[in-house]
């Protein structure tokens, strides 16, 4: 199935959780990030159980320091 992550298209398996997508697409430790699926923030505790659907739009936001 096709999904969009930060405005880039990706193909993932038909049964794919948010955590599985992160492991395949975001090839670095998922620390200091927030994730929204279709503009709804998904708590980190739900990443394993959140099942993605074809056409979903995922936004990954990385925390930064600054002042």
């Amino acid at each position: 199935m096709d999904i969009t992550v930060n405005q880039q298209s990706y193909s993932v398996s038909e049964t794919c959780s948010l955590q599985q997508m992160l492991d395949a697409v975001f090839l670095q430790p998922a620390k200091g990030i927030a994730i929204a699926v279709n503009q709804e923030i998904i708590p980190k505790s739900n990443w394993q159980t959140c099942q993605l659907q074809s056409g979903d739009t995922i936004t990954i936001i990385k925390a930064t320091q600054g002042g």
Side-chain angles (χ1 to χ4, degrees):
M1 77 177 151
D2 294 323
I3 59 172
T4 302
V5 180
N6 289 355
Q7 300 178 345
Q8 292 186 345
S9 296
Y10 292 91
S11 290
V12 294
S13 65
E14 288 299 317
T15 55
C16 183
S17 71
L18 189 53
Q19 184 64 56
Q20 290 169 322
M21 180 278 303
L22 280 174
D23 294 342
V25 172
F26 197 65
L27 305 171
Q28 37 183 292
K31 293 185 178 185
I33 63 171
I35 301 176
V37 176
N38 300 323
Q39 299 182 345
E40 180 180 336
I41 296 291
I42 307 298
K44 188 172 186 173
S45 60
N46 293 349
W47 291 359
Q48 286 284 2
T49 58
C50 178
Q51 294 296 310
L52 299 176
Q53 305 294 319
S54 185
D56 279 350
T57 300
I58 294 97
T59 303
I60 300 174
I61 303 163
K62 185 169 176 92
T64 59
Q65 293 182 351

